Amino acid sequence: MLTKKQLDLLEFIHTRTQRDGVPPSFDEMKEALDLRSKSGIHRLITALEERGYIRRLAHRARALEVVKLPESLGGPSSTGFTPRVIEGDKPDSTPPQAMPVEAASLDIPVMGKIAAGVPIEAISHASHNVAVPKSMLGNGEHYALEVKGDSMINAGINDGDIVIVRETSVADDGDIVVALVEGQEATLKTLRRNGSSIALEAANPAYETRVFRDEQVKVQGKLAGLIRTY
């Protein structure tokens, strides 16, 4: 049986992962549960892990998976819940406890590479398609991009991941977006608005937040999920 705080944290992690495709940061968890320090979050996560509700993935920043939900959150067991991070198999290898990819899937075009670090070329033509479970996709058109760089690693987005993006020209403050800067550079960052300025915020302290005039940045999509191959 879970305590109220444990249940609240599990629900918050599950809701944010379903919405954003990546789990929330420890700071976001601390703020959501109104705790004074992240040590309390660490204790709650450890308790949830010991009870089999979440799994921490080794050697990756902010990598959590909800593996089952209690009945009060729509459980009853891990067999009924599929994380939004879809794990691909290595050739000739089956990872332990790999979650099954749904048979119902759609082919999404991979439009090139997206910078999560230093600037690279803007989005180009589709190079190939990737099969994506329908459950990862909502309304609207979607496309995929290969991530290059580590500036979003603390958001659970690693170099080499394939991000699934829903096409849109609008985004809310705090959304992870594909932004086209001055018509030349495509980048994956968290969008923050401040009056007539737009800040593109990395999720890695090694990278500075970049601030632009509103007209210099065009949103081309919002993060819907990601695919990771091991």
Short mmCIF file of all heavy atoms in Angstrom, two decimals, residues 90-156:
data_model
loop_
_atom_site.label_atom_id
_atom_site.label_comp_id
_atom_site.label_asym_id
_atom_site.label_seq_id
_atom_site.Cartn_x
_atom_site.Cartn_y
_atom_site.Cartn_z
N LYS A 90 18.60 -4.15 -30.01
CA LYS A 90 19.86 -4.22 -30.73
C LYS A 90 19.78 -5.40 -31.69
O LYS A 90 19.07 -6.38 -31.44
CB LYS A 90 21.02 -4.43 -29.75
CG LYS A 90 21.31 -3.23 -28.89
CD LYS A 90 22.35 -3.53 -27.86
CE LYS A 90 23.70 -3.77 -28.48
NZ LYS A 90 24.76 -3.95 -27.45
N PRO A 91 20.52 -5.38 -32.82
CA PRO A 91 20.50 -6.52 -33.73
C PRO A 91 20.92 -7.79 -33.01
O PRO A 91 21.89 -7.81 -32.25
CB PRO A 91 21.53 -6.10 -34.80
CG PRO A 91 21.54 -4.62 -34.76
CD PRO A 91 21.32 -4.27 -33.31
N ASP A 92 20.16 -8.88 -33.27
CA ASP A 92 20.46 -10.20 -32.71
C ASP A 92 20.49 -10.20 -31.20
O ASP A 92 21.24 -10.96 -30.58
CB ASP A 92 21.81 -10.73 -33.26
CG ASP A 92 21.81 -10.81 -34.77
OD1 ASP A 92 20.78 -11.24 -35.33
OD2 ASP A 92 22.82 -10.43 -35.37
N SER A 93 19.74 -9.30 -30.56
CA SER A 93 19.75 -9.25 -29.11
C SER A 93 18.40 -8.83 -28.61
O SER A 93 17.72 -8.00 -29.21
CB SER A 93 20.82 -8.25 -28.61
OG SER A 93 20.73 -8.08 -27.23
N THR A 94 17.96 -9.40 -27.49
CA THR A 94 16.70 -9.03 -26.86
C THR A 94 16.97 -8.49 -25.48
O THR A 94 17.46 -9.22 -24.62
CB THR A 94 15.76 -10.25 -26.76
OG1 THR A 94 15.54 -10.76 -28.07
CG2 THR A 94 14.43 -9.84 -26.13
N PRO A 95 16.75 -7.20 -25.22
CA PRO A 95 17.04 -6.63 -23.90
C PRO A 95 16.16 -7.26 -22.85
O PRO A 95 15.01 -7.61 -23.11
CB PRO A 95 16.74 -5.14 -24.07
CG PRO A 95 15.84 -5.06 -25.25
CD PRO A 95 16.16 -6.22 -26.13
N PRO A 96 16.64 -7.41 -21.62
CA PRO A 96 15.83 -7.99 -20.56
C PRO A 96 14.63 -7.12 -20.23
O PRO A 96 14.72 -5.90 -20.21
CB PRO A 96 16.80 -8.06 -19.37
CG PRO A 96 17.84 -7.03 -19.67
CD PRO A 96 17.97 -7.02 -21.16
N GLN A 97 13.50 -7.77 -20.00
CA GLN A 97 12.26 -7.11 -19.62
C GLN A 97 11.84 -6.05 -20.63
O GLN A 97 11.26 -5.02 -20.29
CB GLN A 97 12.39 -6.46 -18.23
CG GLN A 97 12.71 -7.47 -17.14
CD GLN A 97 12.87 -6.82 -15.80
OE1 GLN A 97 12.90 -5.60 -15.68
NE2 GLN A 97 12.94 -7.62 -14.75
N ALA A 98 12.14 -6.27 -21.90
CA ALA A 98 11.77 -5.30 -22.93
C ALA A 98 10.25 -5.23 -23.05
O ALA A 98 9.57 -6.25 -23.02
CB ALA A 98 12.37 -5.69 -24.28
N MET A 99 9.73 -4.03 -23.16
CA MET A 99 8.29 -3.86 -23.28
C MET A 99 7.89 -4.12 -24.73
O MET A 99 8.58 -3.69 -25.66
CB MET A 99 7.89 -2.43 -22.90
CG MET A 99 8.26 -2.07 -21.47
SD MET A 99 7.47 -3.11 -20.25
CE MET A 99 5.76 -2.61 -20.48
N PRO A 100 6.80 -4.82 -24.98
CA PRO A 100 6.39 -5.11 -26.36
C PRO A 100 5.92 -3.86 -27.07
O PRO A 100 5.22 -3.03 -26.49
CB PRO A 100 5.22 -6.10 -26.18
CG PRO A 100 4.68 -5.80 -24.81
CD PRO A 100 5.87 -5.38 -23.99
N VAL A 101 6.30 -3.72 -28.33
CA VAL A 101 5.82 -2.62 -29.16
C VAL A 101 4.49 -3.02 -29.76
O VAL A 101 4.31 -4.13 -30.25
CB VAL A 101 6.83 -2.29 -30.28
CG1 VAL A 101 6.27 -1.21 -31.19
CG2 VAL A 101 8.15 -1.86 -29.68
N GLU A 102 3.52 -2.16 -29.70
CA GLU A 102 2.19 -2.48 -30.17
C GLU A 102 2.20 -2.81 -31.65
O GLU A 102 2.95 -2.25 -32.44
CB GLU A 102 1.24 -1.31 -29.92
CG GLU A 102 1.11 -0.94 -28.46
CD GLU A 102 0.27 0.29 -28.29
OE1 GLU A 102 -0.70 0.45 -29.05
OE2 GLU A 102 0.60 1.11 -27.43
N ALA A 103 1.33 -3.76 -32.01
CA ALA A 103 1.24 -4.14 -33.42
C ALA A 103 0.69 -2.99 -34.25
O ALA A 103 1.08 -2.81 -35.40
CB ALA A 103 0.34 -5.37 -33.55
N ALA A 104 -0.24 -2.21 -33.66
CA ALA A 104 -0.83 -1.09 -34.39
C ALA A 104 0.14 0.08 -34.40
O ALA A 104 0.38 0.71 -33.38
CB ALA A 104 -2.15 -0.69 -33.75
N SER A 105 0.74 0.35 -35.55
CA SER A 105 1.73 1.43 -35.63
C SER A 105 1.58 2.17 -36.95
O SER A 105 0.92 1.69 -37.88
CB SER A 105 3.15 0.88 -35.50
OG SER A 105 3.44 -0.02 -36.56
N LEU A 106 2.18 3.34 -37.02
CA LEU A 106 2.18 4.15 -38.23
C LEU A 106 3.62 4.46 -38.62
O LEU A 106 4.49 4.59 -37.76
CB LEU A 106 1.42 5.46 -37.99
CG LEU A 106 -0.08 5.36 -37.75
CD1 LEU A 106 -0.64 6.73 -37.41
CD2 LEU A 106 -0.79 4.79 -38.97
N ASP A 107 3.86 4.57 -39.92
CA ASP A 107 5.17 4.99 -40.40
C ASP A 107 5.26 6.51 -40.40
O ASP A 107 4.44 7.19 -41.02
CB ASP A 107 5.43 4.45 -41.81
CG ASP A 107 5.77 2.98 -41.82
OD1 ASP A 107 6.18 2.47 -40.76
OD2 ASP A 107 5.64 2.33 -42.87
N ILE A 108 6.25 7.04 -39.68
CA ILE A 108 6.46 8.48 -39.56
C ILE A 108 7.77 8.83 -40.27
O ILE A 108 8.78 8.15 -40.08
CB ILE A 108 6.54 8.90 -38.08
CG1 ILE A 108 5.27 8.49 -37.33
CG2 ILE A 108 6.79 10.39 -37.94
CD1 ILE A 108 4.02 9.15 -37.83
N PRO A 109 7.79 9.88 -41.09
CA PRO A 109 9.04 10.24 -41.78
C PRO A 109 10.08 10.81 -40.84
O PRO A 109 9.77 11.63 -39.97
CB PRO A 109 8.57 11.31 -42.79
CG PRO A 109 7.34 11.90 -42.19
CD PRO A 109 6.66 10.77 -41.46
N VAL A 110 11.33 10.35 -40.98
CA VAL A 110 12.46 10.91 -40.24
C VAL A 110 13.02 12.04 -41.10
O VAL A 110 13.57 11.81 -42.18
CB VAL A 110 13.53 9.85 -39.94
CG1 VAL A 110 14.71 10.47 -39.20
CG2 VAL A 110 12.94 8.71 -39.12
N MET A 111 12.90 13.27 -40.62
CA MET A 111 13.20 14.45 -41.43
C MET A 111 14.64 14.92 -41.33
O MET A 111 14.98 15.99 -41.84
CB MET A 111 12.26 15.59 -41.02
CG MET A 111 10.80 15.29 -41.19
SD MET A 111 10.33 14.94 -42.90
CE MET A 111 10.62 16.54 -43.66
N GLY A 112 15.49 14.16 -40.70
CA GLY A 112 16.89 14.57 -40.56
C GLY A 112 17.30 14.61 -39.10
O GLY A 112 16.75 13.89 -38.27
N LYS A 113 18.26 15.48 -38.80
CA LYS A 113 18.82 15.57 -37.45
C LYS A 113 18.45 16.90 -36.81
O LYS A 113 18.27 17.90 -37.49
CB LYS A 113 20.33 15.40 -37.49
CG LYS A 113 20.75 14.03 -38.02
CD LYS A 113 22.27 13.91 -38.12
CE LYS A 113 22.65 12.53 -38.67
NZ LYS A 113 24.12 12.39 -38.82
N ILE A 114 18.33 16.87 -35.49
CA ILE A 114 17.98 18.07 -34.73
C ILE A 114 19.04 18.30 -33.66
O ILE A 114 19.49 17.36 -33.02
CB ILE A 114 16.57 17.92 -34.09
CG1 ILE A 114 16.12 19.20 -33.38
CG2 ILE A 114 16.50 16.74 -33.15
CD1 ILE A 114 15.68 20.27 -34.31
N ALA A 115 19.43 19.54 -33.48
CA ALA A 115 20.49 19.86 -32.53
C ALA A 115 19.97 19.86 -31.11
O ALA A 115 19.00 20.52 -30.80
CB ALA A 115 21.09 21.22 -32.86
N ALA A 116 20.62 19.10 -30.25
CA ALA A 116 20.43 19.21 -28.80
C ALA A 116 21.82 19.53 -28.26
O ALA A 116 22.43 18.78 -27.53
CB ALA A 116 19.86 17.94 -28.20
N GLY A 117 22.34 20.66 -28.67
CA GLY A 117 23.72 21.05 -28.35
C GLY A 117 24.16 22.13 -29.30
O GLY A 117 23.52 23.17 -29.42
N VAL A 118 25.21 21.91 -30.04
CA VAL A 118 25.73 22.91 -30.97
C VAL A 118 24.82 22.99 -32.19
O VAL A 118 24.15 22.02 -32.53
CB VAL A 118 27.17 22.57 -31.39
CG1 VAL A 118 28.09 22.59 -30.19
CG2 VAL A 118 27.24 21.20 -32.06
N PRO A 119 24.78 24.17 -32.86
CA PRO A 119 23.90 24.32 -34.02
C PRO A 119 24.25 23.35 -35.16
O PRO A 119 25.41 23.05 -35.39
CB PRO A 119 24.15 25.77 -34.45
CG PRO A 119 24.65 26.45 -33.24
CD PRO A 119 25.46 25.42 -32.50
N ILE A 120 23.22 22.84 -35.83
CA ILE A 120 23.41 22.05 -37.03
C ILE A 120 22.45 22.59 -38.09
O ILE A 120 21.73 23.55 -37.85
CB ILE A 120 23.15 20.55 -36.78
CG1 ILE A 120 21.71 20.33 -36.29
CG2 ILE A 120 24.15 19.98 -35.80
CD1 ILE A 120 21.34 18.86 -36.18
N GLU A 121 22.45 21.95 -39.26
CA GLU A 121 21.60 22.41 -40.34
C GLU A 121 20.13 22.30 -39.97
O GLU A 121 19.72 21.47 -39.16
CB GLU A 121 21.86 21.59 -41.60
CG GLU A 121 23.23 21.82 -42.22
CD GLU A 121 23.41 21.03 -43.49
OE1 GLU A 121 22.45 20.37 -43.90
OE2 GLU A 121 24.51 21.07 -44.06
N ALA A 122 19.33 23.16 -40.59
CA ALA A 122 17.90 23.11 -40.36
C ALA A 122 17.32 21.82 -40.92
O ALA A 122 17.96 21.10 -41.68
CB ALA A 122 17.24 24.33 -41.01
N ILE A 123 16.09 21.53 -40.52
CA ILE A 123 15.41 20.31 -40.94
C ILE A 123 15.36 20.23 -42.46
O ILE A 123 15.04 21.19 -43.14
CB ILE A 123 13.99 20.28 -40.36
CG1 ILE A 123 14.06 20.33 -38.83
CG2 ILE A 123 13.23 19.04 -40.81
CD1 ILE A 123 12.72 20.57 -38.19
N SER A 124 15.70 19.05 -42.99
CA SER A 124 15.73 18.86 -44.44
C SER A 124 14.67 17.85 -44.85
O SER A 124 13.67 17.67 -44.18
CB SER A 124 17.13 18.40 -44.86
OG SER A 124 17.48 17.21 -44.17
N HIS A 125 14.91 17.19 -45.98
CA HIS A 125 13.93 16.25 -46.50
C HIS A 125 13.98 14.93 -45.73
O HIS A 125 14.98 14.57 -45.12
CB HIS A 125 14.20 16.00 -47.98
CG HIS A 125 14.11 17.24 -48.82
ND1 HIS A 125 12.93 17.90 -49.03
CD2 HIS A 125 15.06 17.92 -49.49
CE1 HIS A 125 13.16 18.95 -49.80
NE2 HIS A 125 14.44 18.99 -50.09
N ALA A 126 12.87 14.19 -45.82
CA ALA A 126 12.78 12.90 -45.14
C ALA A 126 13.81 11.93 -45.72
O ALA A 126 13.98 11.84 -46.94
CB ALA A 126 11.38 12.33 -45.27
N SER A 127 14.50 11.21 -44.85
CA SER A 127 15.49 10.24 -45.29
C SER A 127 14.94 8.82 -45.26
O SER A 127 15.27 7.99 -46.11
CB SER A 127 16.74 10.32 -44.39
OG SER A 127 16.38 10.09 -43.03
N HIS A 128 14.08 8.52 -44.29
CA HIS A 128 13.45 7.20 -44.19
C HIS A 128 12.28 7.32 -43.22
O HIS A 128 12.01 8.41 -42.70
CB HIS A 128 14.46 6.15 -43.70
CG HIS A 128 15.04 6.43 -42.35
ND1 HIS A 128 16.03 7.38 -42.12
CD2 HIS A 128 14.76 5.90 -41.12
CE1 HIS A 128 16.34 7.41 -40.84
NE2 HIS A 128 15.59 6.53 -40.20
N ASN A 129 11.59 6.22 -42.99
CA ASN A 129 10.46 6.20 -42.08
C ASN A 129 10.79 5.39 -40.84
O ASN A 129 11.68 4.54 -40.86
CB ASN A 129 9.22 5.60 -42.75
CG ASN A 129 8.66 6.50 -43.84
OD1 ASN A 129 8.89 7.70 -43.85
ND2 ASN A 129 7.92 5.91 -44.77
N VAL A 130 10.07 5.65 -39.77
CA VAL A 130 10.19 4.87 -38.54
C VAL A 130 8.79 4.49 -38.08
O VAL A 130 7.86 5.29 -38.17
CB VAL A 130 10.95 5.66 -37.44
CG1 VAL A 130 10.20 6.93 -37.06
CG2 VAL A 130 11.20 4.79 -36.22
N ALA A 131 8.61 3.24 -37.64
CA ALA A 131 7.31 2.77 -37.16
C ALA A 131 7.10 3.23 -35.73
O ALA A 131 7.94 3.02 -34.86
CB ALA A 131 7.24 1.25 -37.25
N VAL A 132 5.98 3.89 -35.48
CA VAL A 132 5.67 4.46 -34.17
C VAL A 132 4.32 3.92 -33.71
O VAL A 132 3.35 3.95 -34.46
CB VAL A 132 5.62 6.00 -34.24
CG1 VAL A 132 5.26 6.58 -32.89
CG2 VAL A 132 6.95 6.54 -34.72
N PRO A 133 4.23 3.41 -32.46
CA PRO A 133 2.93 2.95 -31.95
C PRO A 133 1.89 4.07 -31.99
O PRO A 133 2.19 5.21 -31.64
CB PRO A 133 3.24 2.53 -30.51
CG PRO A 133 4.70 2.23 -30.52
CD PRO A 133 5.31 3.19 -31.49
N LYS A 134 0.68 3.73 -32.38
CA LYS A 134 -0.37 4.73 -32.47
C LYS A 134 -0.66 5.39 -31.13
O LYS A 134 -1.09 6.54 -31.08
CB LYS A 134 -1.65 4.10 -33.03
CG LYS A 134 -1.57 3.76 -34.51
CD LYS A 134 -2.89 3.20 -35.01
CE LYS A 134 -2.83 2.88 -36.49
NZ LYS A 134 -4.11 2.31 -36.99
N SER A 135 -0.42 4.66 -30.04
CA SER A 135 -0.70 5.22 -28.72
C SER A 135 0.18 6.42 -28.40
O SER A 135 -0.14 7.21 -27.52
CB SER A 135 -0.52 4.15 -27.63
OG SER A 135 0.83 3.70 -27.60
N MET A 136 1.33 6.55 -29.08
CA MET A 136 2.22 7.68 -28.85
C MET A 136 1.74 8.93 -29.58
O MET A 136 2.16 10.04 -29.26
CB MET A 136 3.65 7.33 -29.30
CG MET A 136 4.69 8.38 -28.96
SD MET A 136 6.35 7.96 -29.54
CE MET A 136 6.80 6.68 -28.37
N LEU A 137 0.86 8.75 -30.55
CA LEU A 137 0.45 9.85 -31.41
C LEU A 137 -0.94 10.34 -31.04
O LEU A 137 -1.86 9.55 -30.80
CB LEU A 137 0.45 9.41 -32.87
CG LEU A 137 1.76 8.78 -33.38
CD1 LEU A 137 1.57 8.30 -34.80
CD2 LEU A 137 2.91 9.77 -33.28
N GLY A 138 -1.10 11.63 -30.99
CA GLY A 138 -2.41 12.22 -30.78
C GLY A 138 -2.96 12.72 -32.10
O GLY A 138 -2.71 12.15 -33.17
N ASN A 139 -3.71 13.81 -32.04
CA ASN A 139 -4.25 14.40 -33.26
C ASN A 139 -3.16 15.15 -34.02
O ASN A 139 -2.15 15.55 -33.45
CB ASN A 139 -5.40 15.35 -32.91
CG ASN A 139 -6.57 14.62 -32.28
OD1 ASN A 139 -6.85 13.48 -32.62
ND2 ASN A 139 -7.26 15.28 -31.36
N GLY A 140 -3.39 15.37 -35.29
CA GLY A 140 -2.48 16.17 -36.10
C GLY A 140 -1.42 15.34 -36.81
O GLY A 140 -1.37 14.12 -36.71
N GLU A 141 -0.56 16.05 -37.54
CA GLU A 141 0.52 15.42 -38.28
C GLU A 141 1.78 15.31 -37.40
O GLU A 141 2.03 16.17 -36.56
CB GLU A 141 0.84 16.23 -39.53
CG GLU A 141 -0.31 16.32 -40.52
CD GLU A 141 -0.69 14.97 -41.09
OE1 GLU A 141 0.23 14.16 -41.35
OE2 GLU A 141 -1.90 14.71 -41.27
N HIS A 142 2.57 14.28 -37.64
CA HIS A 142 3.77 14.04 -36.85
C HIS A 142 4.96 13.75 -37.77
O HIS A 142 4.79 13.29 -38.90
CB HIS A 142 3.58 12.86 -35.90
CG HIS A 142 2.58 13.09 -34.82
ND1 HIS A 142 1.22 13.06 -35.05
CD2 HIS A 142 2.74 13.35 -33.49
CE1 HIS A 142 0.58 13.32 -33.92
NE2 HIS A 142 1.47 13.48 -32.96
N TYR A 143 6.14 14.03 -37.28
CA TYR A 143 7.37 13.63 -37.96
C TYR A 143 8.40 13.29 -36.90
O TYR A 143 8.21 13.52 -35.70
CB TYR A 143 7.88 14.73 -38.89
CG TYR A 143 8.20 16.05 -38.22
CD1 TYR A 143 9.46 16.32 -37.71
CD2 TYR A 143 7.23 17.05 -38.14
CE1 TYR A 143 9.75 17.54 -37.11
CE2 TYR A 143 7.51 18.27 -37.55
CZ TYR A 143 8.77 18.51 -37.04
OH TYR A 143 9.05 19.71 -36.45
N ALA A 144 9.50 12.69 -37.35
CA ALA A 144 10.55 12.25 -36.42
C ALA A 144 11.86 12.92 -36.78
O ALA A 144 12.11 13.28 -37.92
CB ALA A 144 10.70 10.72 -36.49
N LEU A 145 12.72 13.08 -35.76
CA LEU A 145 14.04 13.67 -35.93
C LEU A 145 15.05 12.91 -35.08
O LEU A 145 14.72 12.46 -33.98
CB LEU A 145 14.04 15.15 -35.50
CG LEU A 145 13.20 16.12 -36.32
CD1 LEU A 145 13.02 17.43 -35.57
CD2 LEU A 145 13.85 16.37 -37.68
N GLU A 146 16.26 12.77 -35.59
CA GLU A 146 17.33 12.15 -34.81
C GLU A 146 18.04 13.22 -34.00
O GLU A 146 18.43 14.26 -34.52
CB GLU A 146 18.33 11.44 -35.72
CG GLU A 146 19.47 10.79 -34.95
CD GLU A 146 20.53 10.16 -35.84
OE1 GLU A 146 20.30 10.13 -37.08
OE2 GLU A 146 21.57 9.73 -35.33
N VAL A 147 18.21 12.99 -32.70
CA VAL A 147 18.83 13.96 -31.80
C VAL A 147 20.35 13.86 -31.90
O VAL A 147 20.93 12.77 -31.83
CB VAL A 147 18.38 13.72 -30.35
CG1 VAL A 147 19.12 14.65 -29.39
CG2 VAL A 147 16.88 13.92 -30.22
N LYS A 148 20.99 15.00 -32.04
CA LYS A 148 22.45 15.09 -32.02
C LYS A 148 22.85 16.06 -30.91
O LYS A 148 22.46 17.21 -30.92
CB LYS A 148 23.01 15.58 -33.37
CG LYS A 148 22.63 14.69 -34.55
CD LYS A 148 23.18 13.28 -34.41
CE LYS A 148 24.69 13.24 -34.50
NZ LYS A 148 25.21 11.85 -34.45
N GLY A 149 23.64 15.57 -29.94
CA GLY A 149 24.09 16.42 -28.86
C GLY A 149 23.46 16.01 -27.53
O GLY A 149 22.58 15.15 -27.47
N ASP A 150 23.92 16.66 -26.46
CA ASP A 150 23.51 16.26 -25.12
C ASP A 150 22.91 17.40 -24.30
O ASP A 150 22.83 17.31 -23.08
CB ASP A 150 24.71 15.66 -24.37
CG ASP A 150 25.85 16.66 -24.18
OD1 ASP A 150 25.77 17.79 -24.71
OD2 ASP A 150 26.83 16.30 -23.50
N SER A 151 22.46 18.46 -24.96
CA SER A 151 21.98 19.60 -24.19
C SER A 151 20.62 19.34 -23.53
O SER A 151 20.21 20.10 -22.65
CB SER A 151 21.88 20.85 -25.08
OG SER A 151 20.79 20.75 -25.97
N MET A 152 19.91 18.26 -23.91
CA MET A 152 18.62 17.96 -23.30
C MET A 152 18.67 16.69 -22.48
O MET A 152 17.64 16.07 -22.18
CB MET A 152 17.54 17.85 -24.39
CG MET A 152 17.30 19.14 -25.15
SD MET A 152 16.76 20.51 -24.08
CE MET A 152 15.09 19.98 -23.68
N ILE A 153 19.86 16.30 -22.06
CA ILE A 153 20.03 15.01 -21.38
C ILE A 153 19.29 14.95 -20.05
O ILE A 153 18.78 13.91 -19.64
CB ILE A 153 21.54 14.70 -21.20
CG1 ILE A 153 21.73 13.24 -20.78
CG2 ILE A 153 22.18 15.66 -20.20
CD1 ILE A 153 23.17 12.78 -20.84
N ASN A 154 19.19 16.08 -19.33
CA ASN A 154 18.48 16.08 -18.05
C ASN A 154 16.96 16.08 -18.23
O ASN A 154 16.23 15.99 -17.25
CB ASN A 154 18.91 17.28 -17.20
CG ASN A 154 20.30 17.11 -16.64
OD1 ASN A 154 20.84 16.00 -16.61
ND2 ASN A 154 20.92 18.19 -16.23
N ALA A 155 16.51 16.16 -19.46
CA ALA A 155 15.09 15.96 -19.77
C ALA A 155 14.86 14.54 -20.26
O ALA A 155 13.77 14.21 -20.74
CB ALA A 155 14.63 16.97 -20.82
N GLY A 156 15.88 13.69 -20.14
CA GLY A 156 15.76 12.30 -20.57
C GLY A 156 15.91 12.11 -22.06
O GLY A 156 15.53 11.06 -22.60
#
